């Protein structure tokens, strides 16, 4: 059986943030969530998170994840001390894998060899990096690992070593328990270092098996905002590649950001500077224009989103055109063959097949039927200062330009509303309804002069 302990109690002083380090967002998810997703892929029998700093924020964010056990570390006395807070609940015969909440880029493929070796060895994940600054260095003697020296305790010679400790290790729980009890804090930081168990294993003549990570970038530990930004770019590059392998056409893979999960059909084309957030689903033959933001929405087949549109919590059907410069707000449900043009805002509205809102309009809390044409500058006046009211626009309605519909109001089937009208009462089916003062001309009027 495998148990996984994730260390996430540190404050992350170098982040200079109220948000605990492991809650800092990477590709739209907390660092800790990335580690957790990888951990789950190894199908462990238990996952224990050691928490401490910002405990409310950390626990709250994962409160629906019933597979997590929590171990509280009241004082952050080091990574070894942290593991000690959790190891008590791990059965002696289990293998235990330690993951760090601030090392989020590691793939589960890199972890598998550590976990799969069921001998009594101590398994370590290391990486050869161009610059090891800040990391614990792997000390080898005749190629065998004999210890890890932390940056702060390292001399010039050790600092030159470019094989680093990724912070990830795996061994039998009973061995780990024995070693943890022997840890001392006689180092520069006066912390109980987990890394010191390596020299204890050497003393106990337990073989140490170092696995060198194939992709060294995955070893990145994230301690400050600049490392966070670097990791974000690395991950975005990887996500862009994964989507391109699955057939997504990206105009420029370095100018797309996926902060959550993106699903797409065949022949989908994404132009530059597009941000996807949360859960987004795109059908077949969807085109996303440049500078567009889409969050938690689905878009049907053959629909084009033109440049500079902003779409959130919406469902958009097939064969439709949105934007440029459209704002589609939460609760919007656009059926098929719908057209939403420039500078149009739609909120909590259902718009049925073949209907059009082409220019400069606000449609909120509204049900629009089929084949409706809404003229430029139409506004649904849905708010009286206290309550929101509903507008209903039935099938085949034609609304002229510059119309205000004061809700609650119903525009009957096939009705025509004259341009410039402010309607406060329902409009009858099939008739022309107008609200307009009659036009007059003042004969002898003179324009004032300066
Ligand atoms: C650690 C390793 C270092 C390794 C590097 C990889 C030790 C002593 N050093 O250094 O060899 O190269 O990670 O990124 O292990 N934490 C707790 N409780 C504590 C202290 C830390 O839960 O008392 C957690 C932190 O939240 C963090 C992780 O452990 O998620 C690592 O701690 P951090 O202080 O960042 O260690 P590094 O100095 O980066
Ligand atoms: Ca770290």
């Amino acid at each position: 059986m495998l148990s996984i302990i994730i260390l996430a109690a540190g404050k992350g002083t170098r982040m200079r943030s109220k948000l605990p380090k492991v809650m800092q967002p990477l590709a739209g998810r907390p660092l800790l969530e990335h580690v957790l997703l990888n951990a789950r892929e190894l199908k462990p029998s238990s996952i224990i998170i050691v928490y401490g700093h910002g405990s409310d924020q950390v626990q709250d964010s994962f409160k629906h994840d019933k597979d997590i056990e929590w171990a509280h570390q009241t004082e952050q006395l080091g990574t070894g001390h942290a593991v000690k807070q959790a190891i008590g609940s791990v059965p002696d015969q289990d293998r235990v894998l330690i993951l760090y909440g601030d090392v989020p880029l590691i793939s589960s493929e890199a972890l598998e060899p550590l976990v799969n070796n069921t001998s009594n060895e101590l398994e370590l994940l290391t990486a050869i990096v161009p610059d090891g600054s800040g990391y614990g260095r792997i000390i080898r003697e005749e190629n065998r690992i004999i210890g890890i020296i932390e940056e702060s305790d390292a001399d010039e010679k050790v600092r030159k070593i470019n094989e680093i400790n990724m912070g990830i290790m795996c061994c039998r729980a009973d061995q780990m328990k024995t070693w943890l009890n022997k840890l001392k804090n006689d180092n520069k930081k006066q912390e109980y270092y987990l890394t010191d168990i390596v020299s204890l294993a050497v003393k106990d003549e337990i073989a140490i098996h170092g696995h060198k990570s194939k992709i060294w970038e995955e070893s990145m530990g994230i301690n400050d905002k600049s490392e966070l930004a670097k990791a974000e770019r690395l991950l975005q590059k990887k996500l862009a590649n994964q989507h391109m392998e699955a057939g997504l056409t990206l105009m420029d893979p370095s100018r797309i950001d996926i902060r959550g999960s993106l699903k797409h059909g065949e022949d989908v084309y994404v132009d530059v500077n597009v941000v996807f957030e949360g859960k987004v689903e795109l059908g077949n033959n969807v085109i996303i224009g440049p500078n567009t933001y889409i969050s938690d929405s689905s878009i049907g087949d053959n629909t084009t989103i033109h440049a500079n549109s902003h779409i959130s919590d919406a469902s958009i059907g097939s064969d439709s055109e949105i934007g440029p410069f459209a704002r589609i707000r939460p609760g919007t449900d656009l059926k098929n063959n719908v057209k939403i043009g420039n500078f149009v805002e739609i909120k909590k509205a259902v718009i049925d097949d073949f209907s059009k809102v082409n220019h400069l309009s606000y449609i909120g809390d509204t049900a629009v039927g089929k084949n409706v044409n809404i003229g430029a500058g139409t506004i649904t006046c849905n708010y009286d200062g206290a309550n929101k009211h509903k507008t209903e626009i039935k099938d085949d309605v034609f609304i002229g330009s510059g119309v205000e519909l004061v809700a609650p109001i119903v525009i009957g089937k096939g009705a025509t509303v004259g341009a410039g009208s402010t309607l406060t009462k329902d409009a009858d089916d099939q008739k022309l309804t107008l609200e307009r003062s009659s036009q007059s001309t003042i004969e002898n009027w003179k324009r004032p002069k300066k």
Side-chain angles (χ1 to χ4, degrees):
M1 297 281 238
L2 173 71
S3 289
I4 297 180
I5 298 176
I6 304 176
L7 304 190
K11 183 173 179 217
T13 314
R14 285 171 280 172
M15 281 290 169
R16 304 197 178 279
S17 167
K18 287 214 165 58
L19 199 62
K21 175 160 72 172
V22 294
M23 293 306 297
Q24 300 283 333
L26 177 69
R29 306 174 199 270
L31 292 180
L32 182 55
E33 194 180 325
H34 291 270
V35 180
L36 200 56
L37 289 173
N38 273 336
R40 285 198 183 111
E41 288 198 24
L42 300 169
K43 309 242 174 331
S45 56
S46 68
I47 297 176
I48 310 165
I49 297 180
V50 182
Y51 71 107
H53 257 283
S55 50
D56 294 348
Q57 278 162 292
V58 176
Q59 277 193 307
D60 203 52
S61 160
F62 296 95
K63 63 171 181 262
H64 300 299
D65 299 30
K66 299 294 174 219
D67 59 340
I68 300 174
E69 287 171 46
W70 296 91
H72 193 233
Q73 187 191 25
T74 34
E75 251 188 303
Q76 279 68 59
L77 301 179
T79 47
H81 180 262
V83 175
K84 216 173 163 182
Q85 311 311 304
I87 197 89
S89 63
V90 180
D92 279 353
Q93 302 310 312
D94 264 25
R95 285 180 67 75
V96 58
L97 173 71
I98 312 296
L99 299 177
Y100 285 7
D102 67 343
V103 184
L105 296 180
I106 291 178
S107 59
S108 53
E109 294 86 67
L111 298 173
E112 265 157 16
L114 278 77
V115 171
N116 291 344
N117 185 352
T118 49
S119 67
N120 272 348
E121 293 173 352
L122 170 63
E123 313 285 330
L124 271 188
L125 197 55
T126 76
I128 306 288
V129 297
D131 174 13
S133 303
Y135 293 94
R137 308 299 206 286
I138 303 291
I139 312 300
R140 287 180 184 262
E141 212 176 69
E142 288 164 0
N143 209 31
R144 283 177 37 243
I145 297 177
I146 55 156
I148 297 174
I149 297 184
E150 288 306 302
E151 169 96 6
S152 51
D153 303 303
D155 58 21
E156 276 301 296
K157 208 176 128 218
V158 168
R159 284 183 192 205
K160 288 206 178 94
I161 296 173
N162 66 348
E163 184 178 15
I164 60 145
N165 169 36
M166 284 172 70
I168 282 150
M169 48 179 82
C170 188
C171 66
R172 254 178 52 179
D174 52 354
Q175 279 165 340
M176 178 66 89
K177 288 175 189 174
T178 316
W179 294 327
L180 289 174
N181 283 328
K182 289 186 189 162
L183 288 182
K184 297 201 178 76
N185 65 347
D186 52 358
N187 47 53
K188 276 260 166 60
K189 288 193 179 164
Q190 296 193 311
E191 285 184 5
Y192 296 91
Y193 289 160
L194 178 65
T195 44
D196 286 347
I197 71 166
V198 172
S199 52
L200 294 172
V202 172
K203 268 191 208 143
D204 288 350
E205 293 180 345
I206 300 285
I208 298 163
H209 198 176
H211 302 260
K212 283 184 191 140
S213 162
K214 288 200 188 74
I215 309 168
W216 67 267
E217 285 96 336
E218 288 190 355
S219 67
M220 236 189 118
I222 297 176
N223 302 296
D224 57 28
K225 293 285 166 66
S226 124
E227 286 168 345
L228 186 63
K230 233 185 259 170
E232 180 76 29
R233 284 307 103 208
L234 282 169
L235 186 52
Q236 289 301 342
K237 194 172 156 192
K238 185 173 161 184
L239 292 171
N241 284 333
Q242 280 172 0
H243 284 288
M244 287 190 293
E245 273 166 34
L248 185 65
T249 303
L250 296 178
M251 201 52 201
D252 181 354
S254 67
R255 284 187 284 169
I256 173 179
D257 286 86
I258 301 168
R259 302 172 191 156
S261 80
L262 173 67
K263 276 195 189 154
H264 59 85
E266 270 187 335
D267 296 306
V268 173
Y269 172 98
V270 178
D271 214 319
V272 299
N273 299 330
V274 174
V275 176
F276 295 105
E277 232 167 70
K279 205 173 150 213
V280 175
E281 287 182 30
L282 310 174
N284 298 319
N285 304 310
V286 168
I287 297 174
I288 309 288
N291 307 319
T292 291
Y293 171 90
I294 303 177
S295 70
D296 296 300
S297 297
S298 66
I299 296 171
D301 296 348
N302 313 314
T303 288
T304 296
I305 311 292
H306 293 284
N308 298 295
S309 293
H310 189 287
I311 297 169
S312 36
D313 291 290
S315 158
I316 296 174
S318 60
D319 303 286
S320 297
E321 285 201 48
I322 312 294
F325 294 99
R327 175 145 189 235
I328 312 292
R329 292 174 52 198
T332 296
D333 181 5
L334 307 180
K335 304 300 187 192
N336 305 318
N337 296 285
V338 168
K339 272 190 84 174
I340 305 295
N342 41 216
F343 309 108
V344 171
E345 176 179 345
I346 312 276
K347 187 215 77 169
K348 223 183 196 180
V350 180
I351 299 185
D352 214 334
D353 300 351
F354 295 100
S355 289
K356 295 176 184 161
V357 191
N358 270 336
H359 328 268
L360 296 146
S361 291
Y362 172 64
I363 305 295
D365 302 294
T366 300
V368 177
K370 293 184 168 67
N371 298 309
V372 170
N373 194 316
I374 294 183
T378 295
I379 291 171
T380 53
C381 309
N382 59 332
Y383 187 50
D384 60 14
N387 302 298
K388 298 274 167 69
H389 300 283
K390 286 199 149 170
T391 299
E392 247 185 278
I393 301 171
K394 304 283 194 191
D395 294 350
D396 306 313
V397 163
F398 181 94
I399 294 182
S401 298
V403 166
E404 281 150 10
L405 302 172
V406 181
I409 193 166
V410 178
I411 310 300
K413 186 171 167 27
T416 302
V417 178
S421 301
T422 299
L423 298 195
T424 52
K425 284 181 287 202
D426 294 354
D428 286 347
D429 291 2
Q430 313 296 348
K431 291 189 182 143
L432 170 66
T433 302
L434 278 178
E435 188 279 338
R436 220 184 256 170
S437 47
S438 52
Q439 184 167 331
S440 59
T441 302
I442 301 180
E443 291 296 341
N444 299 317
W445 183 82
K446 289 235 163 42
R447 194 186 286 180
K449 286 199 179 93
K450 273 186 196 162

